[in-house]
Amino acid sequence: MLMLFLVALASATLLPGGSEVWLARLWCQGESWWLLWTVASVGNTLGSLVNVGLGRYARHFEKRRWFPVSRQGLARAEGWYLRFGEWSLLASWVPVVGDPLTVLAGILRLPWWRATLLIALAKSARYALVLCLAGAWLAPLCA
C-alpha cells in the first residue's frame, strides 16, 4: 500500500508515473478495493497539491530570465484558465493536461480548499473508474 501511495503521489506531480498499473496489480492480488481507492486517491490528490504549491511559489520568480514560461505564455495560460475557471481542475486527472492545470491553479492563487475539493473529486472519480474497469476486464486474468 505504501508503494501505491508513493507512486500515486509521484504520478500527480510533474514526474512520470503509472499509478493505475499499480492499482490494478494490487486489485488482482486481492487487496480491498475501497482501501486501494482511498490510498490512490489521497496520494494522487496530495501530489497535485504539491503542484499547486509549486505554482504559488513559482510566481515569485516570473520576472527572472530563467523562468521557464514567457510572459506571453503565462498571460495566454491565465486567459485560458480564467475563461474556463476553476472547474477546469476537474480535468486534473487527464494525462499531460492535468499537471499544468494544477500548477496554474497555484499561480493564480485559487484558494486551497477549492483546489483540494475539485482535485480530490477528479482524482477519486478516475480511480473509481480504473477499479470498475479492472473488475470488468481483469477479473478473469487475475485468478
Side-chain angles (χ1 to χ4, degrees):
M1 286 299 159
L2 177 62
M3 195 61 186
L4 174 62
F5 177 82
L6 294 174
V7 170
L9 188 136
S11 295
T13 64
L14 298 175
L15 301 172
S19 59
E20 296 84 2
V21 173
W22 278 90
L23 183 71
R25 181 178 142 283
L26 290 172
W27 179 84
C28 266
Q29 292 175 349
E31 295 289 342
S32 166
W33 69 267
W34 67 268
L35 183 60
L36 292 170
W37 175 78
T38 301
V39 168
S41 297
V42 169
N44 211 244
T45 299
L46 289 176
S48 288
L49 291 175
V50 167
N51 289 345
V52 173
L54 288 172
R56 284 176 168 260
Y57 188 69
R59 195 68 187 227
H60 298 292
F61 301 107
E62 70 179 306
K63 293 183 179 150
R64 307 277 173 103
R65 271 194 325 180
W66 51 264
F67 192 69
V69 181
S70 69
R71 288 180 195 248
Q72 295 83 8
L74 188 57
R76 200 169 36 252
E78 286 176 349
W80 183 88
Y81 188 83
L82 293 173
R83 179 176 171 204
F84 294 103
E86 61 195 38
W87 295 103
S88 65
L89 282 178
L90 291 176
S92 63
W93 67 271
V94 177
V96 180
V97 175
D99 295 342
L101 281 175
T102 57
V103 172
L104 196 52
I107 289 172
L108 296 175
R109 301 264 181 209
L110 182 66
W112 281 103
W113 72 270
R114 286 204 308 242
T116 302
L117 181 67
L118 292 168
I119 291 167
L121 182 63
K123 303 295 186 153
S124 298
R126 175 184 63 181
Y127 286 117
L129 179 63
V130 169
L131 286 167
C132 286
L133 292 175
W137 294 342
L138 294 180
L141 304 172
C142 292

